[in-house]
Amino acid sequence: MKLLKIALAVVFIGGLTALAYYVAVRMEHAIREVTISVLRQIPKSFLVLQTDEQLAMATVSDGGWILGPRIGQATATMRVHWGCDLGTIKPEDLDVAWLRVRVRLPNPAVLDTAFDPSSLRIFSKRSGLQVLRDLATGRSIERDLVRLICSAPPDMSPSDVEVLRQMFADRLNRQAIDLFQAKHLAFEFY
């Protein structure tokens, strides 16, 4: 009889342990899903976390000894909008410990760039034969330089990216905490 009671107690405790584990796993999965759905609802305009202005330069150097030189340089003030795309966060980026959620932000990226057309300065030198060639082929050195200015990505070192990511995490921790209080979650970006 005593052996039967011990066996029932072990089965009962094992069942409670399995049930607690199942509930914890299901709750963690539900918290991950809720967190990702809230993050994807944040408007894209909120994700622009920093705007920098910098001088962008582009250079074209074509031509040769037959047709002559086709050289141009353009400068413009470029506005760069940095941010984190929270839509790229995956469940693996979340650390869930009961009702506490930590989210690793993706590395900041350039969300948008725009140059100020009034600051655009173009300097070019072309031979007469290059001018004729451009007219015949429909090319334009000015259009080529503007295209290069618009497509020039800003340079950042990996350490600068990490500093920017941490700065964004601090800012989001101050501003986005209210989104998750309604879900009764302790939330932190890192």
Side-chain angles (χ1 to χ4, degrees):
M1 189 62 143
K2 190 175 184 179
L3 188 60
L4 181 61
K5 287 182 182 179
I6 292 173
L8 286 174
V10 168
V11 168
F12 181 70
I13 291 172
L16 284 179
T17 304
L19 179 64
Y21 178 76
Y22 175 75
V23 168
V25 167
R26 293 296 299 161
M27 186 170 192
E28 182 179 322
H29 180 72
I31 289 173
R32 286 179 191 273
E33 293 299 318
V34 165
T35 302
I36 288 176
S37 73
V38 169
L39 290 175
R40 289 193 176 141
Q41 292 173 7
I42 295 174
K44 189 96 170 161
S45 62
F46 182 74
L47 301 177
V48 175
L49 299 171
Q50 181 173 323
T51 301
D52 292 331
E53 278 194 10
Q54 56 187 336
L55 183 65
M57 294 180 61
T59 303
V60 170
S61 180
D62 291 340
W65 63 275
I66 295 177
L67 293 178
R70 183 179 186 264
I71 301 169
Q73 185 172 28
T75 61
T77 302
M78 180 73 69
R79 183 168 285 128
V80 180
H81 302 285
W82 291 91
C84 292
D85 185 2
L86 299 182
T88 62
I89 293 177
K90 301 178 278 310
E92 306 86 57
D93 298 329
L94 304 177
D95 292 335
V96 178
W98 196 239
L99 294 177
R100 180 175 173 78
V101 179
R102 295 184 72 219
V103 177
R104 174 153 176 84
L105 279 178
N107 283 336
V110 175
L111 298 179
D112 188 29
T113 59
F115 78 95
D116 179 12
S118 65
S119 70
L120 182 64
R121 301 290 179 258
I122 296 177
F123 309 97
S124 64
K125 177 183 175 186
R126 294 181 291 173
S127 70
L129 292 175
Q130 286 288 359
V131 171
L132 290 174
R133 179 180 173 206
D134 284 352
L135 288 172
T137 60
R139 292 189 334 172
S140 166
I141 193 165
E142 291 82 10
R143 202 171 35 239
D144 292 347
L145 288 167
V146 169
R147 189 177 309 117
L148 285 172
I149 286 249
C150 291
S151 65
D155 294 330
M156 283 196 92
S157 70
S159 62
D160 290 340
V161 168
E162 184 59 31
V163 167
L164 199 58
R165 190 182 62 73
Q166 189 57 49
M167 186 177 74
F168 290 170
D170 293 341
R171 180 174 167 199
L172 286 172
N173 283 332
R174 289 190 308 271
Q175 295 178 349
I177 204 74
D178 296 336
L179 294 171
F180 295 93
Q181 285 178 345
K183 306 289 184 192
H184 305 291
L185 296 173
F187 197 81
E188 178 187 10
F189 288 101
Y190 72 97

